Amino acid sequence: MPQPTALITPGDLSPAEAHALEQALQAGALVKGTTSPNPPVGAAILSAEGELCGVGGTQPTGGPHAEIIALAQAGSMSRGGTAIVTLEPCRHTGRTGPCTQALHKAGIAKVIFIHADPMREAAGGAQELQAQGIKVAQLQLEVPELQPWLSSVRLGRPHITLKIAQTLDGFTSAADGTSQWITGPAARENVHQDRCTRDAIIIGTGTALADNPSLTARTPSGELYPEQPLRIVIGSRPINELMPQGNLAELGFLQFPDIPSMLSEIESLGLRDVLVEGGPRLAGSFLQARVVDALRVYIAPKLLGSGTPSTLGAGVNTLIEAHEFELRSTTVLGEDILALYQRRNPS
Ligand SMILES: NC(=O)c1ccc[n+]([C@@H]2O[C@H](COP(=O)([O-])OP(=O)(O)OC[C@H]3O[C@@H](n4cnc5c(N)ncnc54)[C@H](OP(=O)(O)O)[C@@H]3O)[C@@H](O)[C@H]2O)c1
């Protein structure tokens, strides 16, 4: 009979395990945006003596999983050691072999993982490791970097974050249409850092035609980050004339006439984590379609009194129909605030 997996909290970890956990979390965060359709997992290995001897993050599709990179670094030091992994080790052969087998072969004595694997074909790794005599515990913790992937697997479609940059009174542009630089430099830098962790950025033809944004992820000095998200435009108006140098696909843009066709296409492309950057009518359409899973709201200390609101046509007529979100975190960025929200009662 397989034993139920022991549940532990961060307070149950030894100092060495707590340090290895930090390393595993950082390794997972570093590869976010590069692994889809696979999850951005991080792993760390402690030797039997408690020495950190391997750290790894999942490589792009077809490449090794986090555990394999960390085990390779650890070499013979993994014998009798502990593996800390942000996601339950897989037990199936996909493009790479089962991580459970690799951990067993390396002589790992204990595995601590955080999230259970929700994919039917990969799940069950914990039981398999226990059957091989390895001590297994599940750590009660939430890994923010894994949430979009976990949600995407559960929903059977990409996880969708709506990004809004607005004034305190909820406007994204002034009455005369001016909208650039609502937020300050620290918030804008944060937008670029976030973009390179996403699989795609989505805008409407209205924003494409008004602003002709490059939608690239750039460093403060203007250089492109190595990872660039796919750029998607929704709407029927042609935008080709904005890009005289080539066709849309060659320039890394895809255009779709509506949200459902976009969602089914990008799901088949293996995209897991996408960011809707507006404008207000597209934001309203995503809300009305009830597919917004998270909000990323940059709030500038400005009041406009009138202008364009951050969302238009969200399909709400009375308070009880409001789209509800719960606050997950706030960060001060210069004079602006970044507030992150998760949809309440996801469908
Ligand atoms: N401050 C910010 O964070 C921010 C961010 C983005 C944009 N903006 C500002 O917003 C302004 C543009 O606003 P906007 O509302 O016109 O732009 P938008 O939301 O980017 O684009 C609207 C267009 O998107 C398409 N669309 C929206 N919902 C759709 C649906 N359900 N199915 C198919 N197509 C759909 C339609 O295109 P077709 O008509 O072509 O079919 C629609 O006309 C610009 O001035 C820009 O600067 C501000």
Side-chain angles (χ1 to χ4, degrees):
M1 272 291 279
Q3 294 295 306
T5 305
L7 297 179
I8 60 171
T9 67
D12 297 321
L13 298 177
S14 70
E17 289 170 345
H19 176 60
L21 169 66
E22 281 305 312
Q23 301 298 308
L25 291 170
Q26 273 178 30
L30 268 178
V31 296
K32 186 170 181 288
T34 67
T35 61
S36 287
N38 291 332
V41 176
I45 309 288
L46 287 173
S47 71
E49 290 72 38
E51 190 182 332
L52 183 71
C53 52
V55 178
T58 302
Q59 296 302 292
T61 309
H65 290 183
E67 298 92 318
I68 307 303
I69 302 265
L71 284 172
Q73 259 179 38
S76 60
M77 288 178 81
S78 57
R79 197 145 295 279
T82 298
I84 300 198
V85 197
T86 58
L87 185 73
E88 181 181 6
C90 70
R91 65 173 180 93
H92 78 309
T93 303
R95 289 191 180 91
T96 60
C99 290
T100 46
Q101 227 173 65
L103 290 160
H104 182 237
K105 215 168 132 196
I108 287 289
K110 180 179 175 185
V111 171
I112 299 172
F113 70 94
I114 304 179
H115 290 286
D117 196 323
M119 297 200 64
R120 209 154 21 104
E121 65 273 22
Q127 278 74 30
E128 186 167 310
L129 289 165
Q130 283 177 92
Q132 288 163 341
I134 296 173
K135 205 170 152 190
V136 181
Q138 183 173 9
L139 183 62
Q140 305 294 281
L141 194 70
E142 192 177 283
V143 180
E145 284 75 19
L146 278 175
Q147 296 314 310
W149 184 85
L150 291 166
S151 154
S152 165
V153 171
R154 189 174 56 76
L155 296 167
R157 63 160 172 80
H159 178 272
I160 297 173
T161 302
L162 173 61
K163 177 223 132 184
I164 292 168
Q166 64 172 43
T167 60
L168 285 170
D169 49 354
F171 292 105
T172 58
S173 57
D176 67 353
T178 47
S179 69
Q180 276 203 314
W181 317 134
I182 279 191
T183 51
R188 293 200 297 274
E189 190 181 330
N190 185 279
V191 167
H192 284 275
Q193 283 166 353
D194 179 56
R195 277 181 183 167
C196 70
T197 72
R198 307 289 180 174
D199 295 334
I201 302 178
I202 304 168
I203 58 167
T205 54
T207 300
L209 293 166
D211 301 346
N212 189 12
S214 68
L215 297 181
T216 48
R218 300 181 298 277
T219 65
S221 57
E223 284 150 29
L224 291 177
Y225 280 108
E227 290 303 325
Q228 293 295 325
L230 190 67
R231 293 169 285 176
I232 293 174
V233 182
I234 297 185
S236 48
R237 280 172 289 172
I239 58 161
N240 295 53
E241 71 266 22
L242 298 174
M243 289 124 193
Q245 316 90 316
N247 73 31
L248 288 180
E250 280 167 5
L251 291 163
F253 278 88
L254 295 178
Q255 185 170 7
F256 295 93
D258 53 48
I259 294 173
S261 64
M262 184 275 297
L263 280 179
S264 79
E265 176 66 16
I266 69 172
E267 166 72 9
S268 69
L269 291 175
L271 273 54
R272 296 286 193 186
D273 181 9
V274 301
L275 186 72
V276 176
E277 286 214 19
R281 279 185 287 162
L282 188 69
S285 294
F286 270 90
L287 286 164
Q288 188 162 24
R290 304 241 161 218
V291 291
V292 176
D293 305 302
L295 293 180
R296 190 173 185 89
V297 188
Y298 296 87
I299 304 161
K302 292 180 178 137
L303 293 169
L304 282 170
S306 66
T308 311
S310 55
T311 68
L312 280 167
V316 174
N317 289 309
T318 177
L319 196 57
I320 200 166
E321 293 170 359
H323 302 275
E324 290 198 32
F325 293 85
E326 60 185 36
L327 181 65
R328 304 311 291 264
S329 71
T330 54
T331 311
V332 174
L333 297 169
E335 296 203 321
D336 305 319
I337 291 172
L338 167 61
L340 303 183
Y341 300 85
Q342 206 69 41
R343 176 177 281 285
R344 206 184 284 280
N345 305 324
S347 50

